Amino acid sequence: MKKNDQEITLLNSDNVSNKDIEKNNYKTTNVNILLNRVRLDKKRTFKKRFIFSIFLVTVISSLIVYFVI
């Protein structure tokens, strides 16, 4: 009779430990990865703004040259 009781308690303890393991499995992201992503995003936006500004200056200067001459 004792063996049956012992098996039940062992099974119950396994279930509890499995639940604890599942709760502790959080997805974490490395902070360095996030910071690198922010840096890359900043570089991209700077490049886009720079290219757009050069394009805008070129268009405006070409229009000025066209209408003045």
Side-chain angles (χ1 to χ4, degrees):
M1 188 81 176
K2 282 188 178 180
K3 284 188 177 182
N4 287 337
D5 284 342
Q6 286 175 353
E7 288 178 16
I8 291 174
T9 55
L10 287 177
L11 290 175
N12 287 337
S13 68
D14 286 340
N15 287 336
V16 170
S17 67
N18 284 341
K19 288 180 183 178
D20 288 339
I21 290 174
E22 288 176 8
K23 287 181 182 178
N24 291 332
N25 274 339
Y26 295 115
K27 287 186 177 181
T28 59
T29 304
N30 192 352
V31 173
N32 288 328
I33 292 173
L34 294 174
L35 289 175
N36 286 335
R37 186 178 300 161
V38 168
R39 286 185 194 125
L40 288 174
D41 286 344
K42 283 183 178 180
K43 284 182 181 180
R44 285 185 196 127
T45 56
F46 178 76
K47 284 181 182 180
K48 287 179 183 178
R49 288 179 182 167
F50 184 74
I51 290 173
F52 179 74
S53 64
I54 287 179
F55 176 73
L56 190 65
V57 167
T58 305
V59 167
I60 290 174
S61 64
S62 67
L63 285 174
I64 290 174
V65 167
Y66 179 74
F67 284 116
V68 169
I69 295 180

